Protein backbone atom coordinates (compact mmCIF):
# COMPACT_ATOMS: atom_id res chain seq x y z
CA UNK A 1 0.00 0.00 0.00
CA UNK A 2 1.45 3.34 -1.04
CA UNK A 3 1.72 6.09 1.55
CA UNK A 4 0.30 9.40 0.27
CA UNK A 5 2.06 12.46 1.64
CA UNK A 6 -1.10 14.51 1.02
CA UNK A 7 -3.82 13.30 3.36
CA UNK A 8 -7.54 13.86 2.75
CA UNK A 9 -9.48 14.14 6.01
CA UNK A 10 -12.50 16.11 4.80
CA UNK A 11 -15.78 15.61 6.65
CA UNK A 12 -19.06 16.19 4.86
CA UNK A 13 -21.05 16.77 8.05
CA UNK A 14 -18.70 18.63 10.45
CA UNK A 15 -16.65 21.81 10.26
CA UNK A 16 -14.59 20.62 13.24
CA UNK A 17 -13.52 16.97 13.38
CA UNK A 18 -12.29 15.20 16.52
CA UNK A 19 -10.89 11.67 16.44
CA UNK A 20 -9.79 9.46 19.30
CA UNK A 21 -6.99 7.24 18.01
CA UNK A 22 -6.41 3.83 19.62
CA UNK A 23 -4.18 1.63 17.50
CA UNK A 24 -1.15 -0.68 17.90
CA UNK A 25 0.91 2.20 16.46
CA UNK A 26 0.36 5.70 15.07
CA UNK A 27 0.05 6.28 11.32
CA UNK A 28 3.59 5.56 10.02
CA UNK A 29 3.18 7.74 6.91
CA UNK A 30 4.76 11.19 6.71
CA UNK A 31 1.95 13.39 5.41
CA UNK A 32 0.36 16.84 5.26
CA UNK A 33 -3.13 18.24 4.76
CA UNK A 34 -4.85 21.66 4.39
CA UNK A 35 -6.21 21.62 7.96
CA UNK A 36 -5.11 23.05 11.27
CA UNK A 37 -4.45 20.20 13.68
CA UNK A 38 -4.34 20.04 17.47
CA UNK A 39 -2.97 16.71 18.67
CA UNK A 40 -2.08 15.19 22.04
CA UNK A 41 -0.48 11.83 22.84
CA UNK A 42 -2.07 9.96 25.73
CA UNK A 43 -0.08 6.74 25.30
CA UNK A 44 2.88 5.72 23.14
CA UNK A 45 6.52 6.61 22.49
CA UNK A 46 8.62 7.16 19.38
CA UNK A 47 10.04 9.88 17.13
CA UNK A 48 8.16 12.97 16.03
CA UNK A 49 9.00 14.55 12.64
CA UNK A 50 7.40 17.95 12.00
CA UNK A 51 8.63 20.17 9.18
CA UNK A 52 12.41 20.21 9.60
CA UNK A 53 12.30 19.19 13.29
CA UNK A 54 13.02 15.75 14.74
CA UNK A 55 12.20 15.01 18.40
CA UNK A 56 11.27 12.04 20.55
CA UNK A 57 7.71 11.91 21.90
CA UNK A 58 5.86 10.28 24.76
CA UNK A 59 2.61 10.70 26.71
CA UNK A 60 1.75 14.37 27.08
CA UNK A 61 3.27 15.43 23.75
CA UNK A 62 0.90 18.17 22.56
CA UNK A 63 1.23 20.24 19.39
CA UNK A 64 -0.71 22.67 17.20
CA UNK A 65 0.06 22.50 13.47
CA UNK A 66 -0.94 24.80 10.65
CA UNK A 67 -2.01 23.69 7.15
CA UNK A 68 0.38 21.73 4.93
CA UNK A 69 3.06 21.18 7.58
CA UNK A 70 4.46 17.66 6.94
CA UNK A 71 4.34 15.57 10.10
CA UNK A 72 4.73 12.06 11.48
CA UNK A 73 4.54 10.45 14.91
CA UNK A 74 6.59 7.32 14.25
CA UNK A 75 6.05 4.76 17.02
CA UNK A 76 9.08 2.89 18.37
CA UNK A 77 9.96 -0.43 16.64
CA UNK A 78 8.50 -2.46 19.53
CA UNK A 79 4.99 -1.24 18.57
CA UNK A 80 5.30 -2.88 15.13
CA UNK A 81 6.38 -6.30 16.38
CA UNK A 82 3.96 -9.17 15.81
CA UNK A 83 2.01 -9.97 18.95
CA UNK A 84 3.14 -6.83 20.76
CA UNK A 85 0.79 -5.87 23.63
CA UNK A 86 1.74 -2.20 23.23
CA UNK A 87 -0.91 0.32 22.15
CA UNK A 88 -0.93 3.97 21.19
CA UNK A 89 -3.63 6.43 22.19
CA UNK A 90 -4.09 10.00 21.04
CA UNK A 91 -6.73 12.62 20.30
CA UNK A 92 -6.61 14.84 17.22
CA UNK A 93 -8.80 17.79 16.23
CA UNK A 94 -8.96 19.19 12.68
CA UNK A 95 -10.45 22.43 11.36
CA UNK A 96 -9.92 24.70 8.36
CA UNK A 97 -9.25 28.43 8.46
CA UNK A 98 -12.68 29.35 7.10
CA UNK A 99 -14.64 26.98 9.39
CA UNK A 100 -16.67 29.98 10.64
CA UNK A 101 -16.82 31.80 7.30
CA UNK A 102 -14.28 33.59 5.14
CA UNK A 103 -14.59 36.98 6.89
CA UNK A 104 -14.65 35.82 10.53
CA UNK A 105 -10.91 36.15 11.11
CA UNK A 106 -10.85 39.64 9.57
CA UNK A 107 -12.75 41.13 12.52
CA UNK A 108 -10.65 43.43 14.76
CA UNK A 109 -11.29 41.18 17.76
CA UNK A 110 -9.64 38.26 15.98
CA UNK A 111 -6.13 39.76 15.89
CA UNK A 112 -4.77 37.39 18.55
CA UNK A 113 -6.30 34.36 16.86
CA UNK A 114 -4.92 35.38 13.47
CA UNK A 115 -1.43 35.58 14.97
CA UNK A 116 -1.82 32.14 16.58
CA UNK A 117 -2.85 30.61 13.26
CA UNK A 118 0.09 32.27 11.51
CA UNK A 119 2.51 30.98 14.16
CA UNK A 120 1.11 27.45 13.86
CA UNK A 121 2.57 27.17 10.37
CA UNK A 122 5.89 26.46 12.08
CA UNK A 123 4.19 24.10 14.54
CA UNK A 124 3.83 24.93 18.25
CA UNK A 125 4.61 22.54 21.11
CA UNK A 126 2.94 22.90 24.52
CA UNK A 127 4.14 21.53 27.84
CA UNK A 128 3.26 21.57 31.52
CA UNK A 129 -0.05 22.93 32.77
CA UNK A 130 -1.12 24.23 29.36
CA UNK A 131 -0.52 20.84 27.77
CA UNK A 132 -2.66 19.22 30.47
CA UNK A 133 -5.42 21.78 29.88
CA UNK A 134 -5.39 21.13 26.12
CA UNK A 135 -5.52 17.39 26.76
CA UNK A 136 -8.55 17.75 29.04
CA UNK A 137 -10.33 19.96 26.49
CA UNK A 138 -9.68 17.52 23.64
CA UNK A 139 -10.96 14.62 25.71
CA UNK A 140 -14.08 16.65 26.48
CA UNK A 141 -14.57 17.60 22.81
CA UNK A 142 -14.82 13.94 21.80
CA UNK A 143 -18.26 13.86 23.40
CA UNK A 144 -19.51 17.41 22.67
CA UNK A 145 -21.79 17.99 19.69
CA UNK A 146 -22.88 20.97 17.61
CA UNK A 147 -22.50 24.62 18.55
CA UNK A 148 -21.25 23.83 22.06
CA UNK A 149 -18.21 22.19 20.50
CA UNK A 150 -17.52 25.27 18.36
CA UNK A 151 -17.72 27.53 21.42
CA UNK A 152 -15.43 25.23 23.40
CA UNK A 153 -12.86 25.19 20.57
CA UNK A 154 -12.92 28.99 20.24
CA UNK A 155 -12.41 29.36 23.98
CA UNK A 156 -9.45 26.99 23.81
CA UNK A 157 -7.93 28.80 20.81
CA UNK A 158 -8.37 32.13 22.59
CA UNK A 159 -6.44 30.76 25.57
CA UNK A 160 -3.63 29.57 23.29
CA UNK A 161 -3.58 32.94 21.52
CA UNK A 162 -2.94 34.76 24.81
CA UNK A 163 -0.40 32.31 26.26
CA UNK A 164 3.27 32.70 25.40
CA UNK A 165 4.53 29.38 26.80
CA UNK A 166 4.31 27.48 23.51
CA UNK A 167 7.56 26.67 21.69
CA UNK A 168 8.06 26.77 17.91
CA UNK A 169 8.88 23.40 16.37
CA UNK A 170 10.16 24.06 12.83
CA UNK A 171 12.86 26.61 12.09
CA UNK A 172 12.07 30.20 11.20
CA UNK A 173 11.04 30.54 7.55
CA UNK A 174 10.33 26.84 7.08
CA UNK A 175 8.20 26.17 3.99
CA UNK A 176 6.81 22.84 2.80
CA UNK A 177 8.38 22.29 -0.64
CA UNK A 178 7.08 18.76 -1.11
CA UNK A 179 4.66 17.85 -3.86
CA UNK A 180 2.09 15.08 -3.85
CA UNK A 181 3.93 13.43 -6.75
CA UNK A 182 7.05 12.99 -4.55
CA UNK A 183 5.23 10.86 -2.01
CA UNK A 184 6.73 7.45 -2.58
CA UNK A 185 10.33 8.65 -2.92
CA UNK A 186 10.48 10.56 0.39
CA UNK A 187 8.49 7.89 2.21
CA UNK A 188 11.08 5.30 1.21
CA UNK A 189 13.92 7.51 2.46
CA UNK A 190 12.27 8.22 5.81
CA UNK A 191 11.35 4.60 6.39
CA UNK A 192 14.85 3.42 5.51
CA UNK A 193 16.56 5.82 7.93
CA UNK A 194 14.12 5.15 10.78
CA UNK A 195 14.67 1.40 10.39
CA UNK A 196 18.48 1.49 9.95
CA UNK A 197 19.78 4.55 11.84
CA UNK A 198 21.61 2.28 14.34
CA UNK A 199 23.67 0.83 11.48
CA UNK A 200 26.01 2.38 8.95
CA UNK A 201 23.96 4.27 6.36
CA UNK A 202 25.67 4.75 3.00
CA UNK A 203 24.65 7.79 0.99
CA UNK A 204 24.97 5.74 -2.19
CA UNK A 205 22.36 3.24 -0.93
CA UNK A 206 19.84 5.93 -0.01
CA UNK A 207 20.39 7.85 -3.25
CA UNK A 208 19.83 4.63 -5.19
CA UNK A 209 16.63 4.04 -3.20
CA UNK A 210 15.42 7.48 -4.29
CA UNK A 211 16.46 6.83 -7.89
CA UNK A 212 19.06 9.63 -7.96
CA UNK A 213 22.78 10.21 -8.06
CA UNK A 214 24.37 11.09 -4.71
CA UNK A 215 24.87 14.75 -5.64
CA UNK A 216 21.32 15.13 -6.97
CA UNK A 217 19.84 13.46 -3.90
CA UNK A 218 21.77 15.73 -1.52
CA UNK A 219 20.47 18.84 -3.31
CA UNK A 220 16.94 17.42 -3.44
CA UNK A 221 16.86 16.55 0.26
CA UNK A 222 18.33 19.87 1.41
CA UNK A 223 15.86 21.88 -0.69
CA UNK A 224 12.85 20.06 0.73
CA UNK A 225 13.90 19.39 4.32
CA UNK A 226 15.84 22.59 5.08
CA UNK A 227 18.74 20.45 6.32
CA UNK A 228 21.33 18.08 4.90
CA UNK A 229 20.70 14.36 4.77
CA UNK A 230 23.60 13.82 7.21
CA UNK A 231 21.99 16.23 9.69
CA UNK A 232 18.70 14.37 9.31
CA UNK A 233 20.32 11.02 10.12
CA UNK A 234 22.30 12.44 13.04
CA UNK A 235 19.22 14.08 14.56
CA UNK A 236 17.40 10.75 14.44
CA UNK A 237 20.38 9.11 16.17
CA UNK A 238 20.74 11.84 18.80
CA UNK A 239 17.02 11.70 19.57
CA UNK A 240 17.31 7.95 20.16
CA UNK A 241 20.36 8.53 22.37
CA UNK A 242 18.50 11.11 24.48
CA UNK A 243 15.79 8.58 25.20
CA UNK A 244 18.31 5.93 26.25
CA UNK A 245 20.22 8.39 28.45
CA UNK A 246 17.06 9.20 30.40
CA UNK A 247 16.26 5.51 30.87
CA UNK A 248 19.61 5.24 32.72
CA UNK A 249 20.19 1.56 31.90
CA UNK A 250 23.34 1.70 29.78
CA UNK A 251 26.74 3.36 29.73
CA UNK A 252 27.31 6.35 27.46
CA UNK A 253 29.61 4.25 25.27
CA UNK A 254 26.91 1.57 24.83
CA UNK A 255 24.35 4.25 23.95
CA UNK A 256 26.71 5.79 21.40
CA UNK A 257 27.12 2.55 19.46
CA UNK A 258 23.46 1.56 19.85
CA UNK A 259 22.52 4.90 18.27
CA UNK A 260 24.64 4.30 15.19
CA UNK A 261 27.83 6.27 15.95
CA UNK A 262 31.13 4.63 15.07
CA UNK A 263 33.09 6.11 17.99
CA UNK A 264 32.48 7.69 21.37
CA UNK A 265 34.29 10.88 20.36
CA UNK A 266 32.09 11.24 17.27
CA UNK A 267 29.00 10.72 19.43
CA UNK A 268 30.09 13.30 22.01
CA UNK A 269 30.90 15.86 19.33
CA UNK A 270 27.55 15.48 17.55
CA UNK A 271 25.57 15.38 20.81
CA UNK A 272 27.09 18.71 21.86
CA UNK A 273 26.40 20.13 18.39
CA UNK A 274 22.67 19.26 18.34
CA UNK A 275 21.75 19.40 22.05
CA UNK A 276 24.16 22.02 23.36
CA UNK A 277 25.39 19.80 26.21
CA UNK A 278 27.57 16.74 26.51
CA UNK A 279 25.75 13.42 27.04
CA UNK A 280 26.89 13.39 30.67
CA UNK A 281 25.62 16.94 31.25
CA UNK A 282 22.31 16.12 29.59
CA UNK A 283 21.85 13.05 31.76
CA UNK A 284 22.71 15.00 34.90
CA UNK A 285 20.35 17.87 34.09
CA UNK A 286 17.39 15.54 33.82
Amino acid sequence: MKAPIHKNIESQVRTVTVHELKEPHFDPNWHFHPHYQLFTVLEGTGKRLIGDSIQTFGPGDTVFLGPDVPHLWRSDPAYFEAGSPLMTHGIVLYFQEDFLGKDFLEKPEMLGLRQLLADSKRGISYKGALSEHIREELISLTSVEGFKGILQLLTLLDKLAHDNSGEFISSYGYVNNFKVSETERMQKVHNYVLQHFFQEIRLSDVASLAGMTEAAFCRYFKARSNKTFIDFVNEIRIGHACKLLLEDKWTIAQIAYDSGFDSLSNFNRNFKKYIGHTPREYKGNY
Side-chain angles (χ1 to χ4, degrees):
M1 179 177 178
K2 293 184 178 180
I5 201 170
H6 181 274
K7 194 171 184 178
N8 184 2
I9 51 177
E10 290 288 351
S11 171
Q12 302 302 317
V13 295
R14 295 178 184 273
T15 54
V16 176
T17 305
V18 184
H19 293 306
E20 185 169 9
L21 310 174
K22 288 185 177 182
E23 299 290 345
H25 54 75
F26 289 127
D27 182 357
N29 300 317
W30 201 52
H31 60 272
F32 63 87
H33 45 69
H35 300 73
Y36 292 89
Q37 170 177 326
L38 192 57
F39 178 63
T40 188
V41 176
L42 301 177
E43 185 177 355
T45 60
K47 293 177 178 59
R48 183 187 75 192
L49 285 71
I50 294 177
D52 58 1
S53 168
I54 303 170
Q55 300 287 334
T56 57
F57 75 83
D61 187 48
T62 303
V63 305
F64 183 37
L65 300 180
D68 296 327
V69 178
H71 53 274
L72 163 65
W73 276 259
R74 174 82 181 193
S75 301
D76 283 330
Y79 288 82
F80 293 89
E81 294 177 359
S84 171
L86 297 173
M87 291 289 293
T88 60
H89 186 189
I91 299 177
V92 59
L93 179 148
Y94 301 108
F95 67 91
Q96 290 190 285
E97 188 166 353
D98 61 352
F99 78 108
L100 289 176
K102 293 184 178 180
D103 299 326
F104 179 77
L105 289 174
E106 301 305 316
K107 308 298 182 185
E109 296 84 356
M110 297 299 107
L111 177 61
L113 181 54
R114 285 202 304 273
Q115 185 60 55
L116 172 68
L117 297 183
D119 289 344
S120 72
K121 293 177 182 179
R122 286 177 60 189
I124 306 173
S125 173
Y126 298 102
K127 299 178 181 178
L130 185 54
S131 172
E132 293 177 8
H133 176 75
I134 295 171
R135 187 161 60 252
E136 291 172 358
E137 290 296 300
L138 289 177
I139 291 173
S140 172
L141 282 165
T142 61
S143 58
V144 175
E145 298 286 343
F147 188 59
K148 289 183 178 179
I150 299 294
L151 286 178
Q152 190 169 335
L153 173 59
L154 288 175
T155 301
L156 176 57
L157 292 176
D158 182 65
K159 183 176 180 63
L160 299 184
H162 292 89
D163 191 295
N164 296 321
S165 63
E167 299 178 359
F168 287 117
I169 299 173
S170 296
S171 59
Y172 180 78
Y174 171 78
V175 176
N176 175 18
N177 291 315
F178 289 99
K179 301 175 182 178
V180 177
S181 59
E182 297 170 340
T183 297
E184 190 173 359
R185 174 182 289 164
M186 289 306 298
Q187 190 68 43
K188 285 181 178 178
V189 172
H190 279 91
N191 286 344
Y192 183 84
V193 174
L194 287 167
Q195 292 169 9
H196 298 89
F197 68 87
F198 50 87
Q199 303 170 339
E200 180 185 3
I201 293 181
R202 293 187 176 89
L203 180 60
S204 58
D205 292 341
V206 181
S208 176
L209 189 67
M212 296 179 169
T213 65
E214 293 182 27
F217 174 75
C218 288
R219 291 193 298 269
Y220 171 85
F221 195 92
K222 178 69 180 291
R224 286 155 180 79
S225 300
N226 203 32
K227 66 180 68 181
T228 67
F229 177 70
I230 297 301
D231 281 335
F232 172 72
V233 174
N234 282 337
E235 288 183 14
I236 292 286
R237 288 170 169 167
I238 294 298
H240 179 71
C242 287
K243 179 182 176 182
L244 296 184
L245 283 167
L246 297 185
E247 290 179 0
D248 198 25
K249 296 179 181 178
W250 300 274
T251 67
I252 291 177
Q254 287 174 318
I255 290 172
Y257 291 109
D258 187 72
S259 301
F261 291 95
D262 56 4
S263 71
L264 184 57
S265 60
N266 187 26
F267 172 62
N268 287 331
R269 183 172 61 254
N270 277 283
F271 198 96
K272 183 71 177 289
K273 173 184 175 181
Y274 293 103
I275 303 299
H277 300 282
T278 67
R280 196 172 301 280
E281 289 171 343
Y282 177 84
K283 187 174 181 179
N285 289 340
Y286 284 86

